[in-house]
Amino acid sequence: MKTRWEFVLLPSFVIIGILIVASQYVFLNGSFYKDMGLGRIGDSATMVNYIRFFTDSFYLNTLWITIKTSALASIFTLILGFPVAYLIARMRSHWSMLLLAGIVVATFVTIVIKVFGLIILFSADGLINQVLMGIGIVDRPYTIIGNQTGVVVGLMHFTLGFGVLLLYSVIQTIPRSLEEAAQIHGASRWRMHMRVLLPLSLPGVTVGALMIFNMSMGAFTSAALLGGGRVFTLPVLIQRTVMMEVKYSMAGTLAAVLLVTVLLINLLAIFLIRRLRAARLVIA
Amino acid sequence: MSHVNLSKVVKRFGDFTALHELDLDIKEGEFLTLLGPSGCGKTTTLRLIAGFIQPTQGTIMLGEEDVTQVAPQHREIGMVFQDYALFPHMTIAENIGFGLKERKYPKADIAARVGELLDLIHLPEVGDRYPAEVSGGQQQRIAVARAVAYPPKVLLMDEPLGALDLKLRETMQVELRRIQQELKITTVYVTHDQTEAMNMSDRIVVMNTGRIEQMGSAEGIYNSPETRFVADFVGQINLLDGEVTGTDGDHILVRTADTDIRVIQKNGAPIGPTCVGVRPEQLQLVSSDSAPPDFNVLQGKLVGRTFAGNLTRLFIEIGLDKPVVIECKPQDAPTEIGIDLSIGWPIEQSTLLNK
């Protein structure tokens, strides 16, 4: 008897299917039924949850806050990450590998620990407030816990490591000789960045920005901890709807909206990149 | 266009000294090649002139200006890179006009100059294309056009032909030399390929381990190498290790392979170990009894032969570490391996290499 090789691969497909697809399916499917209270759901399909989402300003506002904080976090992560990634990518010494390893390790330390570190730093008598008050920029402690700034900082904190790694890999693919060619033929460092480095890294940076945005849209821990129960992003609200309100169907609806929003934004971005590419504004 | 002067230039990277007190003067309009193996300091020298790195000590003059501390973009230099470094997101016309745009030339002037340069490199049609859409040899010429667009004081080329195949390389050597002479531009060319260096240069500087071994014309370096390194690096040569035993009239006597050979050396040479270099094409097959009197003659045994089309190389064992290589016409080459042979060469064609 001939053993078909494909059968050996089948179990992992099934397991991955259950873990990724089925678990979401169950939840998303629930979104089309009415919550009956105490975790029970109705038995006839209805759009009532979706109608509620798009007519209730609280939910719409949550969606808007989620997109806004994620977009801001992505932009600031890229702006902060680019110089660091550039420096590491262009370093000639062994320090570059060490720094990169440091960033990887820091990235994979559980976000709970990192966010608590952040909370301590930003607390009323924490280091940052002491410094800010010491030089007189603020006259009373400034807090980032429980406001949108805090959520943006938390999301950046979550994504910065990935951002630097992504940008590092993009910059690495741009030969150093292109920078030198720009300089020797008359471009200052600034002009070199504007005319050569940024245009060439744009496609990679856009893809990186999307990944960071996607991570932020789905981020729960940092948003929950820094939101302090006062700022709701969709993932935070989903958790709350499931755990506190026990409304599985509504939670499913929120999850579906989040999923579709992320998908649409990504499709739009890909479409725009294609257009730019076709117009030769960026290279493949 | 200017002359270039490097004076007592030292470059250290940490503990490693890449250049030891280099003095180099490149004349106006000259095509000078820095030739040497990798790690000899030739690329470091070029990058110092470009300003990508700063010397640890010493000064670099471009014309009458000390540029040692001047940033690359203010040195008015053109450079062709090993990988061409054309900007992939710009058209070829934009690439060529890059330096002009950075120097705030009016648009119309840039367009006119780019057209001129495309004619110079014989590629008038490619202006609107992108670098990825033209061949390697064309990219190479475009890189040259970009480098000379804003008339540079000096043109630097860092192994620009390394990525091309042999046939194209030969065509491009002629082409580069033509462009250089048409523009009469001072050029510093870096290569490890001695044929390339000899084909193109007015003057060759042979470098090794951060020092200049010898400089001169291609003929000078090939015919009168001063050191063992130069003799070995430039062209093929047989190095006969031996010992100076004394003098015989105008000649120095060297004992090698149990035979006394004579070498002309005006300045004399100390008694002791030495090395005599003879090029394969200078060696001839002779009969031991009828060799001319001004010939050195060695006895040996034929151990191998290779056919190279226009000539045949014979490998002759004479009792040294390596067999001696001689080149002769294919029709004159003996075919039987193992036969005893005599080889000879005119006394004045052997070179004493002291170090």
Side-chain angles (χ1 to χ4, degrees):
Chain A
M1 196 185 85
K2 195 174 151 210
T3 314
R4 300 235 5 209
W5 174 240
E6 289 85 339
F7 289 125
V8 182
L9 304 175
L10 207 58
S12 63
F13 272 96
V14 173
I15 292 169
I16 287 173
I18 291 172
L19 285 176
I20 293 179
V21 182
S23 67
Q24 301 214 25
Y25 173 78
V26 170
F27 210 56
L28 295 180
N29 186 47
S31 72
F32 294 103
Y33 298 88
K34 197 173 182 337
D35 276 306
M36 306 302 285
L38 297 174
R40 290 173 296 122
I41 59 171
D43 47 14
S44 57
T46 164
M47 291 299 284
V48 65
N49 294 318
Y50 288 93
I51 293 166
R52 172 135 187 246
F53 184 96
F54 287 104
T55 51
D56 187 329
S57 65
F58 171 73
Y59 287 117
L60 286 176
N61 196 34
T62 303
L63 176 63
W64 167 236
I65 288 173
T66 312
I67 295 174
K68 187 173 79 177
T69 50
S70 298
L72 285 174
S74 310
I75 291 167
F76 288 129
T77 296
L78 288 177
I79 292 174
L80 277 184
F82 196 89
V84 176
Y86 177 77
L87 218 67
I88 298 177
R90 291 304 190 228
M91 252 181 210
R92 286 172 203 265
S93 66
H94 300 299
W95 282 101
S96 64
M97 279 302 121
L98 214 65
L99 279 170
L100 215 56
I103 288 168
V104 172
V105 171
T107 303
F108 292 110
V109 168
T110 170
I111 186 72
V112 179
I113 306 260
K114 289 193 287 184
V115 168
F116 277 125
L118 206 59
I119 289 173
I120 292 167
L121 273 180
F122 275 98
S123 63
D125 54 355
L127 181 70
I128 291 177
N129 272 312
Q130 281 180 8
V131 171
L132 286 181
M133 289 200 290
I135 39 179
I137 294 178
V138 295
D139 48 5
R140 57 195 176 84
Y142 175 77
T143 183
I144 57 162
I145 297 148
N147 58 37
Q148 289 186 23
T149 313
V151 173
V152 172
V153 172
L155 292 176
M156 285 173 63
H157 200 226
F158 175 45
T159 55
L160 204 49
F162 291 101
V164 171
L165 287 180
L166 277 167
L167 292 171
Y168 168 83
S169 64
V170 171
I171 294 166
Q172 273 256 301
T173 62
I174 301 171
R176 196 192 299 254
S177 60
L178 291 182
E179 291 182 28
E180 291 178 345
Q183 274 184 283
I184 198 86
H185 296 120
S188 63
R189 283 217 160 254
W190 170 253
R191 292 281 299 163
M192 181 278 287
H193 272 87
M194 288 295 124
R195 282 192 77 188
V196 177
L197 201 67
L198 285 181
L200 285 177
S201 52
L202 201 60
V205 169
T206 320
V207 172
L210 271 184
M211 288 186 68
I212 292 169
F213 179 79
N214 296 343
M215 283 173 69
S216 298
M217 287 290 282
F220 169 70
T221 316
S222 42
L225 291 177
L226 284 158
R230 287 187 287 273
V231 181
F232 294 109
T233 60
L234 275 176
V236 176
L237 193 62
I238 292 170
Q239 189 261 358
R240 193 185 164 94
T241 310
V242 172
M243 305 299 284
M244 319 261 287
E245 301 175 9
V246 211
K247 289 182 182 164
Y248 295 141
S249 297
M250 193 62 213
T253 304
L254 297 176
V257 171
L258 180 60
L259 186 69
V260 173
T261 309
V262 168
L263 268 177
L264 283 179
I265 290 175
N266 279 270
L267 285 175
L268 184 73
I270 290 168
F271 173 73
L272 284 177
I273 294 174
R274 285 232 172 124
R275 287 290 297 272
L276 286 177
R277 224 173 253 176
R280 280 276 184 192
L281 289 176
V282 295
I283 54 142
Chain B
M1 172 184 9
S2 299
H3 64 94
V4 182
N5 181 275
L6 281 77
S7 163
K8 300 218 175 338
V9 169
V10 177
K11 181 62 189 176
R12 288 190 204 99
F13 295 104
D15 294 337
F16 174 70
T17 306
L19 285 180
H20 305 265
E21 293 231 344
L22 187 87
D23 285 305
L24 186 60
D25 198 59
I26 303 150
K27 297 185 202 74
E28 199 162 315
E30 181 179 34
F31 194 120
L32 181 119
T33 298
L34 303 174
L35 174 67
S38 57
C40 72
K42 58 189 194 297
T43 300
T44 303
T45 309
L46 199 75
R47 294 176 64 80
L48 281 166
I49 300 174
F52 296 139
I53 48 177
Q54 265 66 50
T56 314
Q57 286 164 34
T59 52
I60 299 169
M61 303 279 291
L62 257 179
E64 300 310 315
E65 191 192 354
D66 182 347
V67 294
T68 316
Q69 302 300 328
V70 175
Q73 66 265 31
H74 300 305
R75 290 196 182 189
E76 298 177 20
I77 285 175
M79 184 158 174
V80 180
F81 292 79
Q82 196 166 9
D83 59 356
Y84 317 141
L86 295 174
F87 306 120
H89 58 306
M90 296 182 197
T91 63
I92 282 153
E94 285 168 338
N95 264 284
I96 296 175
F98 184 91
L100 300 171
K101 191 170 172 192
E102 286 308 315
R103 279 147 182 142
K104 311 273 187 292
Y105 269 48
K107 266 201 171 137
D109 292 6
I110 297 181
R113 178 77 179 136
V114 168
E116 227 173 81
L117 287 160
L118 286 171
D119 285 339
L120 175 77
I121 59 172
H122 300 323
L123 292 172
E125 310 292 325
V126 301
D128 294 330
R129 286 195 235 161
Y130 285 84
E133 296 167 351
V134 300
S135 72
Q138 290 173 331
Q139 290 183 14
Q140 161 77 74
R141 281 184 276 174
I142 292 156
V144 175
R146 180 181 64 182
V148 300
Y150 175 85
K153 289 181 174 167
V154 55
L155 174 63
L156 307 178
M157 296 202 240
D158 184 10
E159 309 218 12
L161 304 181
L164 303 177
D165 61 61
L166 186 64
K167 273 265 182 285
L168 197 52
R169 207 147 63 206
E170 285 166 356
T171 324
M172 282 307 301
Q173 286 171 10
V174 179
E175 184 74 4
L176 286 181
R177 183 68 168 149
R178 174 186 70 80
I179 294 171
Q180 188 265 339
Q181 288 188 322
E182 224 163 283
L183 301 171
K184 299 189 179 57
I185 202 163
T186 314
T187 301
V188 185
Y189 190 96
V190 159
T191 184
H192 62 262
D193 181 339
Q194 39 117 355
T195 333
E196 213 168 280
M198 300 194 4
N199 283 349
M200 302 168 79
S201 323
D202 294 317
R203 202 150 57 108
I204 297 174
V205 176
V206 184
M207 295 183 70
N208 187 31
T209 60
R211 289 188 176 85
I212 293 177
E213 289 271 335
Q214 188 173 351
M215 39 182 151
S217 66
E219 290 85 354
I221 283 180
Y222 187 82
N223 293 331
S224 339
E226 283 164 12
T227 65
R228 189 186 174 111
F229 175 82
V230 173
D232 201 22
F233 193 77
V234 180
Q236 276 215 323
I237 199 160
N238 295 298
L239 296 170
L240 312 174
D241 285 311
E243 225 159 295
V244 176
T245 52
T247 50
D248 168 22
D250 289 343
H251 302 141
I252 287 169
L253 288 176
V254 176
R255 182 118 190 122
T256 183
D258 297 325
T259 316
D260 280 321
I261 59 175
R262 290 160 295 168
V263 183
I264 293 176
Q265 177 83 345
K266 291 189 182 73
N267 306 327
I271 303 283
T274 189
C275 176
V276 176
V278 197
R279 301 276 178 203
E281 70 273 16
Q282 292 167 337
L283 286 169
Q284 303 166 19
L285 292 173
V286 294
S287 51
S288 48
D289 43 347
S290 68
D294 56 346
F295 261 50
N296 285 315
V297 177
L298 290 173
Q299 308 300 324
K301 186 189 283 247
L302 182 65
V303 292
R305 42 176 275 151
T306 57
F307 174 64
N310 55 341
L311 52 85
T312 295
R313 288 196 181 87
L314 302 176
F315 297 86
I316 295 164
E317 181 64 57
I318 57 162
L320 294 175
D321 290 349
K322 281 203 290 187
V324 166
V325 182
I326 102 165
E327 288 174 0
C328 60
K329 291 191 189 120
Q331 61 269 29
D332 298 342
T335 50
E336 286 166 72
I337 301 293
I339 56 166
D340 290 322
L341 288 171
S342 298
I343 51 172
W345 70 95
I347 291 169
E348 72 273 10
Q349 284 185 349
S350 42
T351 315
L352 201 59
L353 303 163
N354 289 321
K355 42 175 181 168

